[in-house]
Amino acid sequence: MKPDLKGMTRGELERYMASIGEAPYRGRQIAEWLYRHGAASFDEMTTLSKALRGRLADEAKIGNIVPLSETADPGGGARKYLFRLEDGETIETVFIRLAHSRSVCLSSQVGCPAGCAFCATGAMGFRRNLSAGEIVDQFLKVRASLPGDARPTHAVFMGMGEPLLNIDEVQNAIRILLSPEGPGLGPRRVTVSTCGIIPGIRRLAGAGLRVELAVSLIASDEEVRGSIFPLAREYPLAEVVAAAGEYAASVGRPVTFEYLLLKGLNDSREDAGRLARLLRGVRCKVNLILYNPAGTGGFEPSGEPRAAEFAKWLIPARVAVTVRRSKGARIGAACGQLRAGHDPAGGRVGTCMEGRAGPPGGETDAE
Ligand code: SF4
């Protein structure tokens, strides 16, 4: 099978070129063509000789995800893309425009093994991990579809899948997104969102990429959390919070805890008190997320008045609290709604986006 050059970092491309007897600096040139210029074929790489382009076309390939459709939110704040992968699977990616940022919400898996009860992606089950190339290509294809002054400024791993269960490919994708040969995003402009996969949090810290981390807590009561998040027993709350605190210490910035408010399940004063105690002493901020019904699990949203009350109950934790409503609910592109499929009635239902977290700033805030 031909190696796919899209998804290789600059270092990997340099090593690949050396391995086929070509000058390693050609690897940097290829990285620039792929990730800065968005080249979809070797023919476009005009700084390479014709002979080298021909050789690469014979011996390697450039994987490309294929855009199938785009749906714009009538409010103008979000745009959802459906892509087909080489093996026929489909994924969705969402672009979210705000006053001060333009984020691409990236999928990291087809389906998701985590199985959160409120999440449309979780209900799909797990199909496979995405490669680094397929992850980065979502960013490149969304970028190419937008005019120059509307190009994305941020990338958030909050689409389909649990990114820390696909950590190798996600880390390589981040390296490419941060690289000067590519989009060149700063680490503060890339957010990885997780339901609390502790080994993944530690590996991300160890990789030294220094990106933002958002951790979804789901509930402050272990039993309630376990009824919603099947992996809760493997990753207990106190240990998840401790690992997130270590991550915050390693990057010298607060970590974000996401808390999806579900009516009657995790939105009581007691829940808030427990959450405040859990977070005491951790360098963090809290996003309270207003739930977008995804037709999964029969959950109900708590509503904005309860969210505002809940925020007040967290005052003893002495952390910054923000109430967020995800953009894109009208086009099935909001948190918990992504599913990458067609509903039985024939209407698009969108992919799942992490029910746990909205894109940073991608929401209506009520601090
Ligand atoms: Fe997976 Fe995220 Fe959905 Fe949970 S919320 S099932 S981790 S995609």
Short mmCIF file of all heavy atoms in Angstrom, two decimals, residues 164 167-168 170-172 174-175 178 192 199-211 247 250-251:
data_model
loop_
_atom_site.label_atom_id
_atom_site.label_comp_id
_atom_site.label_asym_id
_atom_site.label_seq_id
_atom_site.Cartn_x
_atom_site.Cartn_y
_atom_site.Cartn_z
N LEU A 164 -8.94 11.54 22.99
CA LEU A 164 -7.86 10.92 23.76
C LEU A 164 -7.90 9.39 23.69
O LEU A 164 -7.02 8.73 24.20
CB LEU A 164 -7.88 11.41 25.21
CG LEU A 164 -7.60 12.92 25.36
CD1 LEU A 164 -7.48 13.30 26.82
CD2 LEU A 164 -6.36 13.36 24.59
N ILE A 167 -5.18 8.94 20.58
CA ILE A 167 -4.19 9.96 20.96
C ILE A 167 -3.03 10.08 19.97
O ILE A 167 -2.58 11.19 19.68
CB ILE A 167 -3.69 9.72 22.40
CG1 ILE A 167 -2.68 10.77 22.86
CG2 ILE A 167 -3.08 8.34 22.58
CD1 ILE A 167 -3.28 11.91 23.56
N ASP A 168 -2.56 8.97 19.40
CA ASP A 168 -1.40 9.07 18.51
C ASP A 168 -1.72 9.93 17.30
O ASP A 168 -0.97 10.84 16.94
CB ASP A 168 -0.95 7.68 18.04
CG ASP A 168 -0.36 6.87 19.18
OD1 ASP A 168 0.25 7.49 20.07
OD2 ASP A 168 -0.54 5.64 19.21
N VAL A 170 -4.26 11.99 16.92
CA VAL A 170 -4.65 13.35 17.33
C VAL A 170 -3.40 14.20 17.61
O VAL A 170 -3.30 15.35 17.21
CB VAL A 170 -5.60 13.29 18.55
CG1 VAL A 170 -5.71 14.64 19.25
CG2 VAL A 170 -6.98 12.81 18.11
N GLN A 171 -2.42 13.60 18.28
CA GLN A 171 -1.19 14.36 18.56
C GLN A 171 -0.48 14.76 17.28
O GLN A 171 0.01 15.89 17.16
CB GLN A 171 -0.25 13.54 19.46
CG GLN A 171 -0.72 13.55 20.90
CD GLN A 171 0.25 12.92 21.88
OE1 GLN A 171 0.08 13.07 23.07
NE2 GLN A 171 1.24 12.19 21.41
N ASN A 172 -0.42 13.85 16.31
CA ASN A 172 0.24 14.21 15.05
C ASN A 172 -0.54 15.30 14.32
O ASN A 172 0.03 16.22 13.74
CB ASN A 172 0.39 12.98 14.14
CG ASN A 172 1.81 12.46 14.18
OD1 ASN A 172 2.63 12.93 14.97
ND2 ASN A 172 2.10 11.50 13.32
N ILE A 174 -2.31 17.59 15.74
CA ILE A 174 -2.04 18.85 16.44
C ILE A 174 -0.69 19.41 16.01
O ILE A 174 -0.54 20.60 15.76
CB ILE A 174 -2.09 18.63 17.98
CG1 ILE A 174 -3.51 18.30 18.42
CG2 ILE A 174 -1.58 19.88 18.71
CD1 ILE A 174 -3.62 17.87 19.88
N ARG A 175 0.31 18.52 15.92
CA ARG A 175 1.65 18.99 15.51
C ARG A 175 1.56 19.70 14.15
O ARG A 175 2.19 20.74 13.94
CB ARG A 175 2.63 17.81 15.42
CG ARG A 175 3.02 17.29 16.77
CD ARG A 175 4.13 16.23 16.72
NE ARG A 175 4.38 15.78 18.08
CZ ARG A 175 3.93 14.62 18.60
NH1 ARG A 175 3.27 13.77 17.84
NH2 ARG A 175 4.16 14.32 19.86
N LEU A 178 -0.19 23.11 14.44
CA LEU A 178 0.65 24.12 15.09
C LEU A 178 1.84 24.52 14.22
O LEU A 178 2.45 25.56 14.46
CB LEU A 178 1.20 23.59 16.42
CG LEU A 178 0.22 23.17 17.53
CD1 LEU A 178 0.97 22.72 18.78
CD2 LEU A 178 -0.73 24.30 17.89
N VAL A 192 -8.32 20.47 23.07
CA VAL A 192 -8.70 19.06 23.08
C VAL A 192 -9.73 18.87 24.18
O VAL A 192 -9.51 19.27 25.32
CB VAL A 192 -7.47 18.15 23.33
CG1 VAL A 192 -7.90 16.70 23.50
CG2 VAL A 192 -6.49 18.28 22.17
N PRO A 199 -5.23 8.37 31.09
CA PRO A 199 -3.92 8.14 30.45
C PRO A 199 -3.69 9.10 29.28
O PRO A 199 -2.57 9.53 29.03
CB PRO A 199 -4.02 6.69 29.96
CG PRO A 199 -5.15 6.08 30.71
CD PRO A 199 -6.09 7.18 31.05
N GLY A 200 -4.77 9.43 28.57
CA GLY A 200 -4.65 10.36 27.45
C GLY A 200 -4.29 11.76 27.93
O GLY A 200 -3.48 12.45 27.30
N ILE A 201 -4.87 12.19 29.04
CA ILE A 201 -4.54 13.52 29.59
C ILE A 201 -3.06 13.56 29.93
O ILE A 201 -2.34 14.52 29.60
CB ILE A 201 -5.40 13.82 30.84
CG1 ILE A 201 -6.88 13.95 30.46
CG2 ILE A 201 -4.91 15.09 31.53
CD1 ILE A 201 -7.84 14.08 31.64
N ARG A 202 -2.58 12.47 30.53
CA ARG A 202 -1.16 12.44 30.94
C ARG A 202 -0.25 12.41 29.71
O ARG A 202 0.79 13.07 29.68
CB ARG A 202 -0.90 11.23 31.83
CG ARG A 202 -1.72 11.32 33.11
CD ARG A 202 -1.01 10.70 34.30
NE ARG A 202 -1.66 11.15 35.52
CZ ARG A 202 -2.41 10.38 36.32
NH1 ARG A 202 -2.56 9.11 36.04
NH2 ARG A 202 -2.96 10.89 37.41
N ARG A 203 -0.65 11.65 28.69
CA ARG A 203 0.19 11.60 27.48
C ARG A 203 0.22 12.95 26.78
O ARG A 203 1.24 13.37 26.26
CB ARG A 203 -0.34 10.51 26.53
CG ARG A 203 0.17 9.14 26.95
CD ARG A 203 -0.01 8.15 25.83
NE ARG A 203 0.68 8.54 24.60
CZ ARG A 203 0.45 7.99 23.42
NH1 ARG A 203 -0.43 7.02 23.32
NH2 ARG A 203 1.10 8.39 22.36
N LEU A 204 -0.93 13.61 26.76
CA LEU A 204 -0.98 14.93 26.12
C LEU A 204 -0.06 15.91 26.85
O LEU A 204 0.66 16.68 26.23
CB LEU A 204 -2.43 15.44 26.13
CG LEU A 204 -2.74 16.62 25.21
CD1 LEU A 204 -2.55 16.24 23.74
CD2 LEU A 204 -4.18 17.10 25.44
N ALA A 205 -0.07 15.83 28.19
CA ALA A 205 0.83 16.70 28.97
C ALA A 205 2.27 16.36 28.63
O ALA A 205 3.10 17.24 28.40
CB ALA A 205 0.56 16.52 30.46
N GLY A 206 2.57 15.06 28.56
CA GLY A 206 3.94 14.62 28.31
C GLY A 206 4.44 14.99 26.93
O GLY A 206 5.64 15.14 26.71
N ALA A 207 3.52 15.14 25.97
CA ALA A 207 3.92 15.46 24.59
C ALA A 207 4.40 16.91 24.47
O ALA A 207 5.03 17.28 23.48
CB ALA A 207 2.76 15.21 23.64
N GLY A 208 4.08 17.72 25.47
CA GLY A 208 4.58 19.10 25.47
C GLY A 208 3.97 19.99 24.39
O GLY A 208 4.57 20.98 24.00
N LEU A 209 2.79 19.65 23.92
CA LEU A 209 2.17 20.46 22.86
C LEU A 209 1.53 21.73 23.43
O LEU A 209 1.26 22.68 22.70
CB LEU A 209 1.13 19.63 22.10
CG LEU A 209 1.71 18.42 21.36
CD1 LEU A 209 0.61 17.48 20.86
CD2 LEU A 209 2.57 18.88 20.18
N ARG A 210 1.23 21.73 24.70
CA ARG A 210 0.76 22.90 25.46
C ARG A 210 -0.57 23.47 24.94
O ARG A 210 -0.82 24.66 25.01
CB ARG A 210 1.84 23.99 25.49
CG ARG A 210 3.15 23.50 26.09
CD ARG A 210 4.20 24.61 26.13
NE ARG A 210 3.75 25.75 26.91
CZ ARG A 210 3.73 25.81 28.24
NH1 ARG A 210 4.14 24.75 28.94
NH2 ARG A 210 3.30 26.88 28.86
N VAL A 211 -1.38 22.59 24.37
CA VAL A 211 -2.69 23.06 23.88
C VAL A 211 -3.67 23.16 25.05
O VAL A 211 -3.38 22.71 26.16
CB VAL A 211 -3.27 22.10 22.80
CG1 VAL A 211 -2.41 22.14 21.56
CG2 VAL A 211 -3.39 20.66 23.33
N TYR A 247 -2.34 18.65 34.46
CA TYR A 247 -2.17 19.20 33.11
C TYR A 247 -2.07 20.73 33.19
O TYR A 247 -1.19 21.34 32.58
CB TYR A 247 -3.34 18.80 32.20
CG TYR A 247 -3.11 19.22 30.77
CD1 TYR A 247 -2.48 18.37 29.88
CD2 TYR A 247 -3.49 20.49 30.32
CE1 TYR A 247 -2.22 18.77 28.57
CE2 TYR A 247 -3.24 20.89 29.02
CZ TYR A 247 -2.60 20.02 28.14
OH TYR A 247 -2.33 20.42 26.85
N SER A 250 1.21 21.74 34.29
CA SER A 250 2.28 21.52 33.31
C SER A 250 2.30 22.60 32.22
O SER A 250 3.35 22.90 31.68
CB SER A 250 2.16 20.13 32.68
OG SER A 250 1.14 20.11 31.70
N VAL A 251 1.14 23.17 31.91
CA VAL A 251 1.13 24.22 30.87
C VAL A 251 1.09 25.62 31.48
O VAL A 251 1.23 26.62 30.77
CB VAL A 251 -0.06 24.06 29.88
CG1 VAL A 251 0.06 22.77 29.09
CG2 VAL A 251 -1.40 24.12 30.58
#
